Amino acid sequence: MADIETLHSKIVYENKWLRVREDKIRRSSGNEGIYGVVEKPDFAIILPIEGDKVYMVEQYRYTIKQRQLELPQGAWEGNPDVDPVELAKGELKEETGLSAQSMEYVGFQYLAYGFCNQGYHIFVARGLTQGTQKLDVEEEDLRVVSLSLNELKEKIIKGEIKDASTCNAVGLAILKGFV
């Protein structure tokens, strides 16, 4: 038996990017409660690196009212079952205009499994060729920024890069010896 049993589930909000559901649950102790769950498709996050140069994107993040540096990343809500490698290649091309000769798979992590089922696949992209960006309308203010790997590490250490997925992807790639 599961630690928590779902007694009833209802969708309380939905748009093309996410769905929010509220579940009535019963814990193994017999106590009942509710659980709010955000459902989103998995995404890919890409560490594009050529020599010592890392390509990042900077965009305005409405939720925190700030421009932020982060690694290229995204999901295809219209095709949530896409192969993660194809998603990574597509997102890299869309956001930066870069094409990669190789995509090395670093691993899979969950974004915030305390309330969301979304996870992400981490890739290191190498053998980069510059092309043209193909931004979505939501990304119209996105710009590409290149940093040295040491500058990127310093910005993470100083807390200047606040995107948890970016910090985690860089850290895991370093710990696993990809970078």
Side-chain angles (χ1 to χ4, degrees), residues 3 10 14 17 28 30 32 35 38 45 51-52 56 58 87 93 116 119 122 134 137-138 147 155 168-170 172-173:
D3 289 341
K10 68 179 177 180
E14 186 172 13
W17 297 283
S28 57
E32 292 185 5
Y35 214 103
V38 176
I45 184 166
D52 188 36
M56 303 188 73
E58 182 191 75
L87 175 60
K93 179 75 173 160
C116 183
I122 304 166
K134 296 180 181 169
V137 72
E138 293 86 10
L147 304 169
K155 285 185 177 294
N168 185 50
V170 170
L172 193 59

Side-chain angles (χ1 to χ4, degrees), residues 11 23 26 33 49 51-52 63 67 69 91 97 108 113 127 131-132 145 148-149 157:
I11 305 302
D23 294 350
R26 181 182 302 125
I49 188 163
D52 188 36
T63 52
R67 293 190 66 78
L69 268 178
E91 283 296 319
F108 179 85
Y113 55 59
T132 306
V145 176
S148 73
L149 184 57
I157 290 167

Side-chain angles (χ1 to χ4, degrees), residues 46 76 84-94 98 100 103:
I46 307 96
W76 290 347
V85 174
E86 292 308 309
L87 175 60
K89 288 178 182 178
E91 283 296 319
L92 180 64
K93 179 75 173 160
E94 286 174 23
L98 294 169
M103 283 285 186

Side-chain angles (χ1 to χ4, degrees), residues 121-177:
H121 300 274
I122 304 166
F123 292 90
V124 171
R126 298 185 195 278
L128 305 173
T129 304
Q130 187 65 59
T132 306
Q133 290 174 297
K134 296 180 181 169
L135 300 175
D136 292 333
V137 72
E138 293 86 10
E139 300 169 324
E140 65 184 26
D141 70 330
L142 184 143
R143 66 183 192 98
V144 179
V145 176
S146 63
L147 304 169
S148 73
L149 184 57
N150 282 336
E151 287 174 309
L152 172 57
K153 289 177 188 177
E154 274 302 307
K155 285 185 177 294
I156 291 172
I157 290 167
K158 290 178 180 177
E160 294 172 17
I161 294 179
K162 296 174 175 56
D163 178 57
S165 304
T166 293
C167 295
N168 185 50
V170 170
L172 193 59
I174 290 171
L175 288 171
K176 286 188 162 187

